[in-house]
Amino acid sequence: KLSNGFCFFNFMAAAALHAVARSGVTKLSILDWDIHYGQGVADIVRGNPAIRYASIHQVPAFPFMGETLEVTDNIKTIPIDPGTTWDSNYETQFMEQALPFVVDEDWVPDLVLVSSGYDGMAGDELATSNLVAKDFATMTRLLKERLESYETAGNRSPALMMGMEGGYQLGQNVMGGGLPEGFIETIKALDDVYS
């Protein structure tokens, strides 16, 4: 396979494979909200019966893959159009496509990993989606609420781990916020400070 993309060391796939092989995790989901399709993760975990991978990403955008809404084995690709905002289709795709694939009655993972990229923000120049910092808090809160409504075989809610991925706008006063604001909103939601 051809190596391409922004990720030279695929930490999310490595974390998933390690958790399944050595940490007693029998079911694991990866939710990738980085704005670029994570074809490397998909290639590495494809066909692994212990792992599900859902990617919600802009099309067209690099790497110009994952261009149709589909499920292939344990991989779900959820493309969104350029210019998408939370209210103009991202929320619908997140709630109706991504979250139910990550956890449902038939698939309750022990662990959910989030490829938490902030390059879908309005001010980021590597894509043209229009999310804002608070949207990442909303996604985190909605994911937490969904996970808390299910119990694993160990009688607890699935564990959650966030991994920081894309986000290339570091400047201040960026339309919709930049990487620091998106990251802070995510942390606040994880810590239940979000209001």
Side-chain angles (χ1 to χ4, degrees), residues 151-166:
E151 284 190 359
T152 67
N155 296 319
R156 62 175 181 78
S157 295
L160 176 61
M161 183 187 100
M162 311 290 278
M164 190 161 168
E165 294 228 350

Side-chain angles (χ1 to χ4, degrees), residues 48-72:
N48 188 321
I51 300 173
R52 280 190 178 181
Y53 173 71
S55 175
I56 184 167
H57 52 273
Q58 180 182 308
V59 170
F62 185 82
F64 305 102
M65 298 173 172
E67 296 180 337
T68 58
L69 176 63
E70 65 183 357
V71 176
T72 306

Side-chain angles (χ1 to χ4, degrees), residues 35 58 60-61 81-84 119-122 124-130:
I35 207 64
Q58 180 182 308
D81 293 326
T84 297
D119 46 0
M121 295 179 71
D124 201 291
E125 296 174 356
L126 292 181
T128 56
S129 295
N130 288 309

Side-chain angles (χ1 to χ4, degrees), residues 144-176:
K144 280 181 54 180
E145 288 172 0
R146 186 166 183 94
L147 296 179
E148 290 167 358
S149 69
Y150 289 90
E151 284 190 359
T152 67
N155 296 319
R156 62 175 181 78
S157 295
L160 176 61
M161 183 187 100
M162 311 290 278
M164 190 161 168
E165 294 228 350
Y168 309 97
Q169 184 52 263
L170 302 176
Q172 295 181 348
N173 301 317
V174 177
M175 178 177 64

